[in-house]
């Protein structure tokens, strides 16, 4: 007998994606450099029940307004710009990039702070892509979601966030070489704790300033080739002082990623902390993506006993600081700002629906 329901519903599917914190290597991904991010035990879970319609209706724990978009929307940022509420742009963008077989309805639940620099948007994109039927090959999943991110936000971000939340493994950070997207796991030593602390500053300037930094790197790369692969001695010879500083950051940051990785592997947390402090200094002075609030938070955290090092993490211009500490060195309740002890977690995956 024919089903009288207008949209027959199939079995629900569920996917979970972690957020990420970058231990070291910022503004290196779009320069074919290296970075060492890790996925964290805060993340986003999407549950989706396909039906036979063409609309996607999702409710979020973070916004009273649902996303209600057509599966046939175009992956064009000028079209997506008109979609409201804002978070629905990610739903529309991922749907356009993945092309789910049908519409459906579902829920989005997250434990990630939104817009704090822990890749809440990459987590949402990757979890959506999985429930919409994308296969789980981490590199192609990350590329698809990076395209969706560009369309949803108009910001020319690199692939680090989507790649680490797709490919990470339990207890490990991921050393990524963005020249060929090869990855190596790096265990986080048992004696180390990773703490993320919010500066309290929202990343207001992040969009326009990120695009500007990327353009500056491209201008420098036009003379020298991809900055992540340039010899340090060559980078310091650029005549333009701004481009020289930008290039110097990228080149030295890539060296620091390797030093930091070696220190972690050797269990030398004091050295790892010194390298983090140098990374923050370079991001602040050469790349100019720090703020007075981030600088003073880093300085304050470095003053606590048991803190090996701290640096801004992610794009900068506000958002979070990451600290490497002895276990329980920081009393998070006394910091006066949101903070999280995070554990290195596995990447995005489908979850059985009970
Ligand atoms: C944001 C972007 C990443 C990366 C970082 C800076 O998180 O999404 O691609 O460029 O900034 O390292």
């Amino acid at each position: 007998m024919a089903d009288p329901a207008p949209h027959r519903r199939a079995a629900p599917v569920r996917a979970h994606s972690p957020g990420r914190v970058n231990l070291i290597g910022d503004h290196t991904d779009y320069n074919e450099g290296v970075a060492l991010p890790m996925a964290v035990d805060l993340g986003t879970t999407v549950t989706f029940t396909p039906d036979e319609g063409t609309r996607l209706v999702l409710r979020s724990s973070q916004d009273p307004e649902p996303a209600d978009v057509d599966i046939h929307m175009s992956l064009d940022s000028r079209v997506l710009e008109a979609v409201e509420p804002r978070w629905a742009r990610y739903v529309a963008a991922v749907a356009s990039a993945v092309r789910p077989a049908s519409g459906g309805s579902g829920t989005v639940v997250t434990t990630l702070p939104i817009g704090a620099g822990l890749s809440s948007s990459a987590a949402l994109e990757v979890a959506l892509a999985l429930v919409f039927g994308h296969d789980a090959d981490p590199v192609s999943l990350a590329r698809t979601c990076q395209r969706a991110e560009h369309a949803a936000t108009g910001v020319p971000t690199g692939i680090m966030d989507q790649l680490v939340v797709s490919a990470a493994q339990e207890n490990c950070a991921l050393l990524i070489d963005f020249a060929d997207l090869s990855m190596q796991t790096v265990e986080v030593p048992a004696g180390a704790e990773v703490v993320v602390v919010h500066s309290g500053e929202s990343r207001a300037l992040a969009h326009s300033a990120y695009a500007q930094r990327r353009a500056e790197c491209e201008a420098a790369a036009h003379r020298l080739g991809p900055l992540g692969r340039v010899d340090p001695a060559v980078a310091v010879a650029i005549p333009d002082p701004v481009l020289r500083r930008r290039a110097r950051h990228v080149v030295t940051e890539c060296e620091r990623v390797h030093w930091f990785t070696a220190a972690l592997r050797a269990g030398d947390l004091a050295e790892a902390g010194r390298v983090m402090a140098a990374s923050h200094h370079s991001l602040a002075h050469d790349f100019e993506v720090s703020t007075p609030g981030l600088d003073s938070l880093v300085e304050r955290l470095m003053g606590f006993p048991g803190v090996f090092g701290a640096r801004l993490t992610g794009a900068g211009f506000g958002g979070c600081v990451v600290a490497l500490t002895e276990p329980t060195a920081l009393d998070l309740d006394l910091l006066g700002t949101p903070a999280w002890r995070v554990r290195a977690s596995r990447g995005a995956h489908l979850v059985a629906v009970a």
Side-chain angles (χ1 to χ4, degrees):
M1 202 175 82
D3 187 340
H7 296 315
R8 207 174 340 195
R9 295 164 73 80
V13 271
R14 180 172 293 160
H16 176 81
S17 174
R20 69 97 186 91
V21 64
N22 192 16
L23 295 179
I24 196 156
D26 272 311
H27 294 278
T28 54
D29 60 348
Y30 54 83
N31 286 302
E32 298 191 26
V34 286
L36 188 73
M38 69 178 220
V40 297
D41 50 341
L42 299 167
T44 298
T45 303
V46 177
T47 307
F48 178 66
T49 307
D51 61 25
E52 288 178 342
T54 59
R55 292 209 76 79
L56 296 163
V57 182
L58 288 154
R59 290 178 192 279
S60 163
S61 60
Q62 300 299 305
D63 193 314
E65 268 197 80
D68 183 350
V69 300
D70 196 275
I71 55 170
H72 298 119
M73 280 199 69
S74 122
L75 191 62
D76 178 333
S77 49
R78 282 158 307 179
V79 175
L80 294 171
E81 204 167 76
V83 173
E84 294 292 345
R86 286 180 90 89
W87 77 275
R89 293 175 196 173
Y90 294 102
V91 180
V94 175
S96 337
V98 176
R99 293 283 172 222
S102 72
S105 57
T107 56
V108 176
V109 176
T110 192
T111 53
L112 282 162
I114 306 301
L118 293 182
S119 287
S120 54
S121 62
L124 174 62
E125 290 151 11
V126 169
L128 285 170
L130 287 177
V131 298
F132 291 162
H134 197 289
D135 68 62
D137 164 54
V139 172
S140 86
L141 184 58
R143 284 192 205 278
T144 302
C145 291
Q146 183 194 23
R147 277 198 296 139
E149 169 91 23
H150 290 177
T153 65
V155 185
T157 45
I159 200 170
M160 170 172 72
D161 305 346
Q162 289 80 8
L163 190 54
V164 67
V165 306
S166 300
Q169 291 181 28
E170 196 79 33
N171 296 325
C172 293
L174 204 58
L175 176 61
I176 306 175
D177 184 338
F178 296 98
D180 58 5
L181 300 189
S182 57
M183 296 173 263
Q184 286 174 47
T185 52
V186 178
E187 229 172 284
V188 178
E193 190 163 86
V194 178
V195 179
V196 181
V197 186
H198 201 297
S199 65
E201 295 175 330
S202 73
R203 298 174 307 145
L205 272 175
H207 286 190
S208 54
Y210 185 100
Q212 189 197 0
R213 292 300 180 281
R214 184 159 183 166
E216 288 163 351
C217 288
E218 271 156 19
H222 191 67
R223 302 174 59 103
L224 305 177
L227 297 181
R229 295 197 267 155
V230 159
D231 190 272
V234 176
V236 294
I238 300 178
D240 180 282
V242 172
L243 297 191
R244 186 166 63 236
R245 289 204 305 277
R246 304 299 186 247
R248 185 168 58 195
H249 165 72
V250 175
V251 169
T252 59
E253 184 78 348
C254 291
E255 291 185 310
R256 284 185 291 271
V257 169
H258 291 300
W259 295 337
F260 182 91
T261 302
L264 268 199
R265 284 185 167 144
D268 188 347
L269 300 177
E271 170 63 7
R274 279 191 289 275
V275 179
M276 286 174 91
S279 167
H280 183 80
H281 188 270
S282 176
L283 285 160
H285 297 281
D286 275 350
F287 218 65
E288 296 179 275
V289 294
S290 190
T291 62
L294 286 166
D295 291 345
S296 64
L297 181 57
V298 166
E299 207 182 308
R300 189 174 156 224
L301 291 171
M302 298 276 292
F304 285 103
V307 174
F308 299 112
R311 58 184 286 282
L312 74 83
T313 180
F317 313 106
C320 286
V321 162
V322 59
L324 188 72
T325 78
E326 285 172 1
T328 69
L330 290 174
D331 184 341
L332 305 192
D333 293 336
L334 296 183
L335 291 177
T337 184
W340 303 264
R341 276 181 229 290
V342 290
R343 272 193 327 101
S345 302
R346 70 181 280 207
H349 51 278
L350 288 169
V351 179
V353 182

